[in-house]
Amino acid sequence: MDSTHFDIVIVGAGLAGLSLATRLCTPQFAHLRIAVVDPRTTFGATHTWSFFQQEWHGFENCVASNRQWCNIRVHAAGVQLSSLSRAHDFAATPYCSIESTIFYEKSLQLIAG
């Protein structure tokens, strides 16, 4: 029986698990032994994660320029465009998407380092 001790065990290497693991890979947590447990041995193109960026998250360079939106225009079928169609500006919290292959690669590099 393996008697390896870990201070933190993260179950699941999806978006949440790897995000937490990368946040813990900083000097202030260097004293902790951390394990990430996931049944996968390879990580591929399985998801695209989208979110409103409200603060720095360390994955900005993973968001391609064509995967970030600061405004949208809403149209409703059967409704006069002049009454409903208008632009919504959210430049302060842009809507971003990260493809899983890019996220996995960056996360695993940060964790390995």
Side-chain angles (χ1 to χ4, degrees):
M1 175 186 268
D2 188 358
S3 61
T4 304
H5 169 81
F6 293 99
D7 298 301
I8 297 174
V9 175
I10 300 169
V11 179
L15 177 66
L18 289 179
S19 293
L20 176 58
T22 59
R23 292 262 177 144
L24 293 173
C25 289
T26 60
Q28 74 187 72
F29 300 110
H31 64 285
L32 297 174
R33 289 182 45 96
I34 302 166
V36 179
V37 179
D38 194 273
R40 293 177 284 182
T41 56
T42 61
F43 297 88
T46 57
H47 297 83
T48 297
W49 291 292
S50 300
F51 54 93
F52 286 98
Q53 182 176 338
Q54 297 181 353
E55 62 184 45
W56 180 84
H57 52 73
F59 291 92
E60 283 79 7
N61 61 345
C62 294
V63 178
S65 61
N66 65 341
R67 296 289 185 183
Q68 181 171 332
W69 301 270
C70 294
N71 58 58
I72 60 171
R73 184 169 291 279
V74 178
H75 300 279
V79 176
Q80 233 180 19
L81 290 180
S82 60
S83 65
L84 184 64
S85 177
R86 60 178 237 224
H88 298 275
D89 181 11
F90 44 90
T93 58
Y95 189 71
C96 304
S97 290
I98 298 177
E99 294 181 28
S100 61
T101 52
I102 297 167
F103 174 77
Y104 290 140
E105 181 181 335
K106 168 85 173 184
S107 297
L108 297 174
Q109 285 174 353
L110 289 170
I111 292 167

